Amino acid sequence: ITTEINNNIMTETQQQQPALTNPTNQIILDKLRALGMHKKETPHHSTLKRASVLVPLFERPPSSQSNTTHPKNPNSSSIHVLFTQRPTTLSSHPGEVCFPGGRQDPSDRSDDVITALRETREEIGLFPHSILPIARMETVESKHSLCVTPIVGWIDPPEAAEPSGLELNLEEVEAAFAVPLEYFAREENCVEKYSVEWSGGEFVVRTYLFEDGERHGGR
């Protein structure tokens, strides 16, 4: 799988730029690209075992967007975020909502992007040729002393990320669902917010509840 991923990883200069459907989406994508793909971590992180997750983003036509508590605005973003839910039978993080991802394998050659794409392929069947890595988020240390790096990936064609079409690995993923990105920008949708200190830094933890009638389990 790693060899296939290496052959299919394309940079933004190699891949045709996504044709976005509205200006708001373009602004969001440009801001994410501005974060760059360089590492954002401390020397301490290099002493930890590594893991990566993919943050999959894709466009949905306005007519097929998930229901929210607010009327649809033609100028609002149609970008959605793809999430997965872990099986409740797992011993580690049972039932938690998360992104596809996992620990780095030796075959990943210490490449965080390869780890994220490989794990995504294994967990939800999303192929690397449909994923354009556009940003590397700040690396954080997990409570299990893992160095976790989120990789933001733009999914093209967008249909490849639709939960109903994914082939889930039921040993690792119980369900997949998508949430409009703008849902997280509305303060009234945040039901809980508090700060925690961890590994020398302070982090804001936010909790959101989202009702999705299009949540899909494995097939």
Side-chain angles (χ1 to χ4, degrees), residues 54-66:
L54 184 76
V55 183
L57 303 180
F58 67 103
E59 282 188 306
R60 268 183 174 169
S63 59
S64 65
Q65 289 188 39
S66 299

Side-chain angles (χ1 to χ4, degrees), residues 48-195:
L48 305 175
K49 293 183 178 180
R50 302 190 72 87
S52 297
V53 297
L54 184 76
V55 183
L57 303 180
F58 67 103
E59 282 188 306
R60 268 183 174 169
S63 59
S64 65
Q65 289 188 39
S66 299
N67 185 35
T68 67
T69 57
H70 298 272
K72 293 182 176 66
N73 183 332
N75 295 319
S76 65
S77 171
S78 60
I79 295 176
H80 280 58
V81 190
L82 180 65
F83 291 95
T84 61
Q85 183 174 9
R86 293 170 61 83
T88 55
T89 54
L90 292 179
S91 59
S92 176
H93 307 291
E96 288 189 1
V97 171
C98 57
F99 295 114
R103 296 191 182 215
Q104 193 166 88
D105 283 351
S107 61
D108 296 336
R109 298 186 302 205
S110 302
D111 190 317
D112 298 322
V113 174
I114 290 178
T115 301
L117 298 185
R118 175 184 55 75
E119 287 284 340
T120 298
R121 163 79 186 280
E122 293 175 357
E123 291 185 3
I124 62 175
L126 186 56
F127 284 82
H129 60 73
S130 298
I131 306 170
L132 174 62
I134 59 173
R136 183 192 299 259
M137 308 298 288
E138 184 177 345
T139 297
V140 296
E141 180 181 352
S142 76
K143 65 180 182 180
H144 298 298
S145 297
L146 273 175
C147 171
V148 183
T149 301
I151 304 296
V152 181
W154 184 259
I155 312 304
D156 189 24
E159 304 83 48
E162 285 293 343
S164 59
L166 298 175
E167 297 187 8
L168 307 184
N169 178 351
L170 296 182
E171 294 182 357
E172 300 185 66
V173 179
E174 180 175 294
F177 61 97
V179 181
L181 183 61
E182 67 173 8
Y183 184 83
F184 301 103
R186 298 184 183 275
E187 193 65 28
E188 62 268 31
N189 291 334
C190 180
V191 298
E192 184 181 31
K193 182 170 68 173
Y194 57 92
S195 297

